[in-house]
């Protein structure tokens, strides 16, 4: 039997504030002014380029995830390994712990509700291995990790920790690594340097909890074996009270999983090893662990996410690029199945793209300008994207899910090359 869930949770209902005019780096979620974690880790700098992709599935191996409003559209099919079977849209939630964790990862930002997670468009796969009142068995956690890998998760978050290693659990973490899935886990709440599992396994990424000044909380497990730290206190979404504030090392790995999902959204061909290496190499040193506090913007730069390696916000095949005619406005029409890419040249100034598809589908536009990546998405078949860019080549990717044939109309406004 593994140790109990590691969450020192103190719930405080936050007072809602009127939604204000928002920007990608200042979302209108009422709790945003209190969310120091995403601000400290520079997530808003990445949000200016894109806020995630539904094609990136992050499994939450925990107590289940309740279908709270701020996770609307985020939940995909999961499993209840306590006997409830596979579900869609949220599994039974007894301890609320899994919902808190999932909301840190992917609460929908800039929707005027509750809080903003790290990856606003990422998908959450609930994998229930504990009921929130008794310790989770390591063998069940192992089954949960393996199930998530086999059912399409790219990242597995385990905000649970135990002091006793398990051969089953270690094998499951190795299985994930062999299938290019990143396992992010809690370092623990012991306040000493004792190793906790599954975070301490070689193929996992253990995360400790730090405060606003990059100092480990007294309760945070430490030691040279811990490679990463992240904010250990966070605004979460609770099924009963909405936005609330909590502390514990359960919340630190959730921040890292959300950032990893955000990065993977820009380039789904990144490997788990590449993401882990970028997160570690770009982190800010923290006294007491072997690594540092995660920095989303620095990891984005470390991965060189730019026009040459950002094929799509989703895992769709790209059609051969076609050059647009050198006119100020170009209307493109046709049939799209999955994705299409095209290249064109512009002068300096405003570039605007409008996509409309029928029948309506969830679609996204990704525009690589050579110096930045701009992302926009829509649920009902209409997507608008606008940016200012320097003169030169641009690369636009259109992707829709599910990958069925749709009729599309694309309007492209751009300055003419002098």
């Amino acid at each position: 039997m593994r140790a109990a869930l590691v969450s020192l949770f103190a719930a405080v209902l936050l007072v809602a504030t009127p939604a204000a005019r928002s920007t990608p780096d200042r979302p209108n979620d009422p709790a945003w002014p209190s969310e120091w974690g995403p601000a400290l880790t520079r997530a808003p700098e990445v949000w200016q380029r894109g806020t995630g992709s539904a094609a990136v599935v992050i499994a939450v191996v925990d107590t289940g995830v309740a279908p709270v409003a701020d996770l609307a559209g985020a939940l995909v099919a999961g499993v209840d390994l306590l006997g409830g079977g596979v579900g869609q849209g949220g599994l039974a939630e007894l301890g609320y712990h899994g919902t808190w964790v999932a909301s840190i990862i992917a609460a929908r930002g800039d929707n005027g509700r509750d809080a903003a997670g790290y990856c606003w468009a990422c998908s959450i796969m609930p994998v229930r291995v504990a009921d929130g009142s008794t310790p989770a068995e390591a063998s069940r956690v192992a089954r949960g990790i393996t199930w998530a890998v086999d059912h399409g998760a790219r990242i597995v978050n385990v905000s649970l920790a135990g002091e006793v290693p398990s051969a089953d659990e270690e094998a499951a973490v190795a299985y994930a690594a062999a299938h290019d899935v990143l396992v992010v886990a809690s370092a623990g709440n012991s306040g000493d340097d004792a190793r906790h599992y599954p975070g301490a396994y070689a193929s996992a990424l253990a995360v400790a909890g730090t405060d606003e000044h990059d100092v480990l909380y007294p309760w945070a497990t430490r030691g040279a074996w811990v490679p990463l730290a992240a904010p250990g206190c966070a605004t979460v979404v609770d099924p009963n009270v909405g936005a609330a504030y909590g502390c514990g090392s359960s919340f630190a790995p959730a921040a890292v999983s959300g950032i990893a999902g955000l990065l993977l959204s820009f380039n789904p061909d990144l490997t788990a090893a590449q993401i882990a290496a970028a997160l570690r190499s770009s982190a800010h040193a923290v006294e007491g662990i072997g690594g540092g506090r995660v920095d989303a913007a620095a990891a984005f730069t470390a991965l060189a996410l730019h026009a040459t390696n950002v094929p799509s916000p989703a895992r769709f095949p790209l059609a051969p690029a076609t050059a647009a005619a050198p006119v100020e406005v170009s209307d493109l029409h046709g049939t799209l199945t999955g994705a299409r890419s095209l290249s064109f040249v512009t002068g300096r100034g405003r570039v605007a793209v409008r996509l409309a598809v029928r029948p309506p589908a969830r679609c996204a536009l990704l525009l690589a300008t050579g110096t930045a990546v701009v992302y926009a998405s829509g649920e009902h078949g209409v997507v608008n994207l606008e940016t200012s860019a320097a003169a030169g080549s641009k690369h636009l990717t259109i992707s829709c899910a599910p990958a069925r044939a749709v009729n599309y109309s694309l309007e492209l406004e751009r300055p003419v090359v002098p």
Side-chain angles (χ1 to χ4, degrees), residues 27-46:
N28 62 13
D29 308 86
W32 172 249
S34 301
E35 291 190 66
W36 61 267
L40 178 67
T41 57
R42 298 204 294 161
E45 293 183 36
V46 182

Side-chain angles (χ1 to χ4, degrees), residues 13-32:
L13 182 63
L14 299 181
V15 179
T17 55
R21 184 175 181 178
S22 60
T23 61
D25 60 336
R26 301 178 73 87
N28 62 13
D29 308 86
W32 172 249

Side-chain angles (χ1 to χ4, degrees), residues 282-345:
S282 61
H284 299 262
V286 170
E287 184 177 355
I289 66 172
R293 189 260 301 157
V294 67
D295 183 321
F300 182 95
T301 300
L303 288 167
L305 291 174
H306 51 74
T308 61
N309 70 343
V310 186
S312 166
R315 281 196 156 195
F316 298 126
L318 296 182
T322 57
V327 296
E328 186 171 353
V329 178
S330 176
D331 295 319
L332 303 176
H333 306 269
T335 301
L336 172 72
T337 303
R340 181 190 176 190
S341 64
L342 58 115
S343 298
F344 54 92
V345 178

